[in-house]
Amino acid sequence: MAGPAGLRRSAFTQRLTRYMPLTPGERDAIERLERRERRVAAGTRVITEGAENNALYIVQHGWLHSATSLKSGSRQITGFHYAGDLVGISSIAWSIAAATLTTIEDCILFEIAKEELGRVFAAQPRLAGLLYAIAAAEGVAANDRLTSVGRMGADTRLATLLLDMLARLRASAGGVIDSFELPLTQTDIGDAAGLTKVHVNRTLRSMEERGWIERHGKRLRIKDERKLSGEVGFVDRYSEVATDWLPPPPNVPQGVLETA
Amino acid sequence: MAGPAGLRRSAFTQRLTRYMPLTPGERDAIERLERRERRVAAGTRVITEGAENNALYIVQHGWLHSATSLKSGSRQITGFHYAGDLVGISSIAWSIAAATLTTIEDCILFEIAKEELGRVFAAQPRLAGLLYAIAAAEGVAANDRLTSVGRMGADTRLATLLLDMLARLRASAGGVIDSFELPLTQTDIGDAAGLTKVHVNRTLRSMEERGWIERHGKRLRIKDERKLSGEVGFVDRYSEVATDWLPPPPNVPQGVLETA
DNA sequence: CGCCTGTTTGAGAAGACTCAAAACGGGTGG
DNA sequence: CCACCCGTTTTGAGTCTTCTCAAACAGGCG
């Protein structure tokens, strides 16, 4: 139950703090959400499409993806989730899961019952607003993905996918990185980008030849992120979120805001 | 400023009431959001991608769409908006608009400053939760669109698009309908489905020949919605939203909930 | 009536897919 | 330590869907 020594900082708190300083009350509220820890091995289905589900999860560590499958047998990966993300939000709208949530690596999750989130909305309106803003940002990111799949060729599409991963890893890990371990098969990548595994292979290869990326085993390096972002029109939606419109937090004595 | 006689029922209230009965306080809070009415002619840009924007809009009447445009000159329509929708939510996350919002028909909108929404979050947590749930549902609908564009052929893709429109019109208009006016050009449809206008034309034509749809001018009829939904695997995400997890409304004297 | 936008049709090209098989790599058991 | 096995990556060849370019057609409006 206890993690590897004392490095159990809440990734979720850390993420939210990126966007605005939290009051002690808000930190407390989040901490209370993180009581049910689940360690899940790579490749496990945490939520199954079509099955009953009334829980949400905070990702403390590891990667996951959500996917829906079609009658034709094919599959669409609709999103990847990283440390600090709140996932399974669709269970807020329905008791039957709309997508399958699968761990890509070994993960540490915190399970949250819907009602607990309800209590946060009641007690911490400013936090609720921030969650809403983050949901809005994710909606825009989803639209970016739609645009990429609907209107771009294979190479641009894969480039935006990789740039998006880089940006999100940065948002959760923090710090500057230009390469990362890609724990996905080319089939997975294809299911996310709307391409065949064969075509993913050829396209990655040609991206490498053109000098966009470098690959060594599972490790992937974006050679010139700024230039590539410009060329394919990628915009990082996670680097910041407006918080100026949020209501003031309840009962804040002056000067207790922490900046993390 | 006053509309056509007394039929100014709030479409937004009506929509929310579909999901849960509202307290008088909640109705009141919504009403206060609907003070700045804007009548906008068809084809007007309400929000422009890349420009500063700090407002949200409630759609009281009419259709709109949001779209992003690429450097290549092509465009992706990321969503359609109907009476009762809250649009421009992305402005909650950033001051610079991520998409262009355009009226398809003459529309009546209510403009809302971000801060007003913040006040609603503070005063009406249950309402805030419902908005969050609706945002979650819209996120899932966006993923459905992604799945359709990423993994389906042209005919299935167009079918899901039309079925989605039908479902959403039903969610806002209420009642049973199997046909509707489609105020879009085939170019627009293509931009939404990720297809060329030429291919949209051929595909619609073949759908008509196969007996999936009927067209008379701008009017479009889905001939057997249930069967078609089954064949293409369409799921209506708007018919209901779970509200059981929401916190109780503030200060509710027993028995005043309206069911509208 | 002529114009303009949108729809329809045709023909050829391109991108992505399918099917198939070979090469690779990491892990396991002998 | 090696041989084998399985999942994954890579390559090849041919096909099909969708796109591009181009032009004809239709309908509503001034």
Side-chain angles (χ1 to χ4, degrees):
Chain A
M1 190 114 292
L7 53 81
R8 176 58 17 78
R9 271 297 283 290
S10 159
F12 190 51
T13 306
Q14 213 168 312
R15 166 78 67 87
L16 297 187
T17 311
R18 265 181 75 94
Y19 300 133
M20 75 184 190
L22 302 178
T23 66
E26 287 166 340
R27 284 169 181 274
D28 228 58
I30 294 172
E31 228 167 72
R32 269 196 297 276
L33 292 176
E34 303 189 328
R35 295 230 165 116
R36 239 180 340 281
E37 180 181 297
R38 274 186 61 182
R39 297 183 166 241
V40 187
T44 311
R45 297 180 151 216
V46 178
I47 299 177
T48 303
E49 187 179 358
E52 169 129 17
N53 170 56
N54 286 295
L56 299 158
Y57 295 90
I58 289 173
V59 182
Q60 169 66 19
H61 176 85
W63 280 39
L64 306 88
H65 70 240
S66 16
T68 56
S69 49
L70 312 195
K71 289 198 314 174
S72 66
S74 53
R75 178 181 71 147
Q76 175 73 44
I77 293 182
T78 53
F80 296 97
H81 312 291
Y82 312 83
D85 283 357
L86 180 63
V87 301
I89 303 191
S90 78
S91 67
I92 273 185
W94 308 284
S95 293
I96 303 297
T100 298
L101 181 69
T102 312
T103 53
I104 296 173
E105 304 174 311
D106 292 351
C107 287
I108 302 175
L109 308 175
F110 296 116
E111 184 173 331
I112 305 174
K114 291 202 252 193
E115 290 73 20
E116 295 177 69
L117 194 72
R119 283 194 282 280
V120 170
F121 265 68
Q124 302 292 344
R126 196 175 76 124
L127 204 48
L130 180 57
L131 292 184
Y132 194 60
I134 291 175
E138 267 165 16
V140 172
N143 286 339
D144 288 349
R145 254 178 340 259
L146 178 63
T147 303
S148 140
V149 172
R151 283 284 179 242
M152 292 174 175
D155 47 1
T156 322
R157 219 188 282 185
L158 285 184
T160 53
L161 182 66
L162 297 176
L163 287 168
D164 188 67
M165 287 175 174
L166 192 60
R168 298 196 63 172
L169 284 172
R170 191 145 45 210
S172 55
V176 186
I177 43 174
D178 70 337
S179 74
F180 56 96
E181 297 294 324
L182 225 190
L184 300 173
T185 67
Q186 294 182 350
T187 303
D188 293 332
I189 297 175
D191 284 343
L195 296 168
T196 322
K197 60 173 188 248
V198 175
H199 204 58
V200 167
N201 184 285
R202 293 196 224 272
T203 307
L204 282 179
R205 181 150 299 282
S206 103
M207 288 168 73
E208 202 168 13
E209 276 162 23
R210 250 175 298 172
W212 291 10
I213 59 171
E214 257 174 36
R215 293 180 299 163
H216 299 104
K218 301 255 116 201
R219 187 143 207 104
L220 193 140
R221 152 169 281 106
I222 310 255
K223 288 180 81 174
D224 188 342
E225 187 186 356
R226 189 157 299 281
K227 173 156 149 273
L228 188 55
S229 293
E231 269 173 38
V232 303
F234 172 74
V235 182
D236 180 358
R237 305 290 186 187
Y238 303 96
S239 56
E240 57 180 331
V241 163
T243 54
D244 51 311
W245 61 278
L246 296 174
N251 317 315
V252 206
Q254 278 309 347
V256 294
L257 290 189
E258 293 184 36
T259 322
Chain B
M1 189 105 299
L7 54 81
R8 178 53 23 75
R9 271 295 286 290
S10 159
F12 190 51
T13 306
Q14 214 167 311
R15 165 76 67 88
L16 298 188
T17 311
R18 265 182 73 94
Y19 300 135
M20 76 184 188
L22 301 179
T23 66
E26 287 166 341
R27 284 168 182 275
D28 229 58
I30 294 173
E31 229 167 71
R32 270 196 296 276
L33 292 176
E34 303 189 329
R35 295 229 165 116
R36 242 183 335 284
E37 180 182 296
R38 276 186 60 183
R39 295 181 168 243
V40 186
T44 311
R45 297 178 153 218
V46 178
I47 300 176
T48 301
E49 186 178 358
E52 171 130 15
N53 171 56
N54 286 295
L56 300 159
Y57 296 90
I58 288 174
V59 183
Q60 170 65 19
H61 176 84
W63 279 40
L64 305 89
H65 71 239
S66 14
T68 56
S69 49
L70 313 195
K71 288 197 316 175
S72 66
S74 55
R75 179 179 70 146
Q76 175 73 44
I77 293 182
T78 52
F80 296 98
H81 312 291
Y82 311 83
D85 282 357
L86 181 64
V87 301
I89 303 191
S90 78
S91 67
I92 273 184
W94 307 286
S95 294
I96 303 298
T100 299
L101 180 69
T102 313
T103 53
I104 296 172
E105 304 174 310
D106 293 352
C107 287
I108 303 175
L109 307 175
F110 296 117
E111 184 172 332
I112 304 174
K114 291 201 253 193
E115 290 73 19
E116 296 177 69
L117 194 72
R119 282 194 283 280
V120 170
F121 265 68
Q124 302 291 344
R126 198 175 73 125
L127 205 47
L130 180 57
L131 293 183
Y132 194 60
I134 290 176
E138 267 166 15
V140 172
N143 286 339
D144 288 349
R145 259 184 329 267
L146 177 64
T147 303
S148 141
V149 172
R151 281 287 179 238
M152 292 173 177
D155 48 1
T156 320
R157 220 188 282 188
L158 285 184
T160 53
L161 182 65
L162 297 175
L163 287 167
D164 188 67
M165 287 176 175
L166 191 60
R168 297 196 62 170
L169 285 172
R170 192 145 45 210
S172 55
V176 186
I177 43 174
D178 70 337
S179 75
F180 57 95
E181 296 295 325
L182 223 190
L184 300 174
T185 68
Q186 295 182 348
T187 303
D188 293 332
I189 298 175
D191 284 343
L195 296 168
T196 321
K197 60 173 188 249
V198 176
H199 204 60
V200 167
N201 184 288
R202 292 196 225 272
T203 308
L204 282 179
R205 181 150 301 281
S206 102
M207 287 168 74
E208 202 168 13
E209 276 162 23
R210 248 174 299 173
W212 291 10
I213 58 171
E214 257 171 36
R215 292 181 300 162
H216 298 104
K218 299 255 118 197
R219 186 141 209 105
L220 193 140
R221 153 168 280 105
I222 310 255
K223 289 180 80 175
D224 187 343
E225 188 186 354
R226 190 157 300 279
K227 175 156 147 271
L228 188 54
S229 293
E231 269 174 38
V232 304
F234 172 74
V235 181
D236 179 359
R237 304 291 185 187
Y238 303 96
S239 55
E240 57 180 333
V241 163
T243 54
D244 51 309
W245 61 277
L246 297 173
N251 317 315
V252 206
Q254 278 310 346
V256 294
L257 293 187
E258 293 184 37
T259 321

